[in-house]
Amino acid sequence: MEIETPRGPARVELDAPGPGKPRYLLAITHGAGGGVDAPDIAAVSAAAAAEGAAVARITQPYRVAGRRMPGSATGPQDEAWRSVVEQVRAWPELAGAPLVLAGRSNGARVACRTAAALEAAAVVALAFPLHPPGRPERSRAGELRGAGVPTLVVNGDRDPFGVPDPADATTLVVRQGERHDLAKDVESVAAVVVEWLARHVG
């Protein structure tokens, strides 16, 4: 389904459990040039749904409009993300469910930057891009530290975008031999995520 935001329509694919309140609402989004069908996103979404969560896989407006990149200004992207998440969490079947914001790469940055404003219960950051490749001086650690809620980071030790400092997240899991796509063993990545959420949410 499409949901209007101040920056154009976003697309939402919702998997909701049966009758009764979901354990939590996982709102998850893609990297800058990717989609919600990325292997790690798909695996995490399926694992969370199997644990009784409602899962909203959100394609951001710039991707729905056919653009590959969100642009250098973070404000418009964050505004659109806040709008679509607020509308999804207001649906009656999801009312009162703890909100978990999640994303891979650029989507992880968006989740961190908006967690406080959306009163999220937790953030899951897949392949958080600590800095542009080869540019460690352009650190984005402040976005991670600024989430203000329990935050899980899952990165590969061979990620050219770097690996965050353990002090900047509640939990840092470094996957040996993995690069930025985290694609070697997505089922294991998903297991790490749902186990962590079971301990930190709800």
Side-chain angles (χ1 to χ4, degrees):
M1 70 193 77
E2 290 196 349
I3 293 181
E4 288 297 328
T5 81
R7 300 291 171 173
R11 187 176 300 118
V12 178
E13 301 170 41
L14 179 68
D15 293 314
K21 177 180 172 181
R23 292 184 63 179
Y24 52 85
L25 166 61
L26 178 70
I28 189 166
T29 193
H30 49 78
V36 294
D37 56 350
D40 55 347
I41 291 177
V44 168
S45 298
E51 293 294 317
V55 180
R57 293 187 294 164
I58 298 172
T59 302
Q60 298 176 56
Y62 76 92
R63 292 293 284 157
V64 174
R67 297 192 302 276
R68 180 164 177 79
M69 303 299 285
S72 58
T74 59
Q77 189 180 18
D78 292 356
E79 178 186 31
W81 173 250
R82 288 194 306 269
S83 176
V84 66
V85 171
E86 286 169 348
Q87 292 180 69
V88 170
R89 76 187 307 189
W91 292 342
E93 63 268 34
L94 305 177
L99 173 65
V100 177
L101 299 181
R104 69 161 287 106
S105 194
N106 177 265
R109 296 178 62 197
V110 175
C112 289
R113 292 196 304 260
T114 59
L118 288 168
E119 299 182 338
V123 167
V124 174
L126 303 172
F128 185 88
L130 182 62
H131 56 71
R135 301 291 301 275
E137 72 280 3
R138 294 180 57 186
S139 174
R140 298 158 178 152
E143 293 180 349
L144 187 55
R145 289 192 296 265
V149 299
T151 302
L152 168 66
V153 177
V154 183
N155 271 59
D157 67 338
R158 298 184 182 179
D159 192 329
F161 290 84
V163 178
D165 190 297
D168 292 334
T170 307
T171 305
L172 171 66
V173 176
V174 180
R175 306 280 300 173
Q176 299 301 309
E178 292 271 19
R179 295 183 61 81
H180 194 61
D181 58 9
L182 294 174
K184 278 193 170 184
D185 186 357
V186 292
E187 287 77 15
S188 180
V189 170
V192 167
V193 171
V194 295
E195 189 275 334
W196 186 87
L197 287 173
R199 290 187 285 112
H200 287 86
V201 178

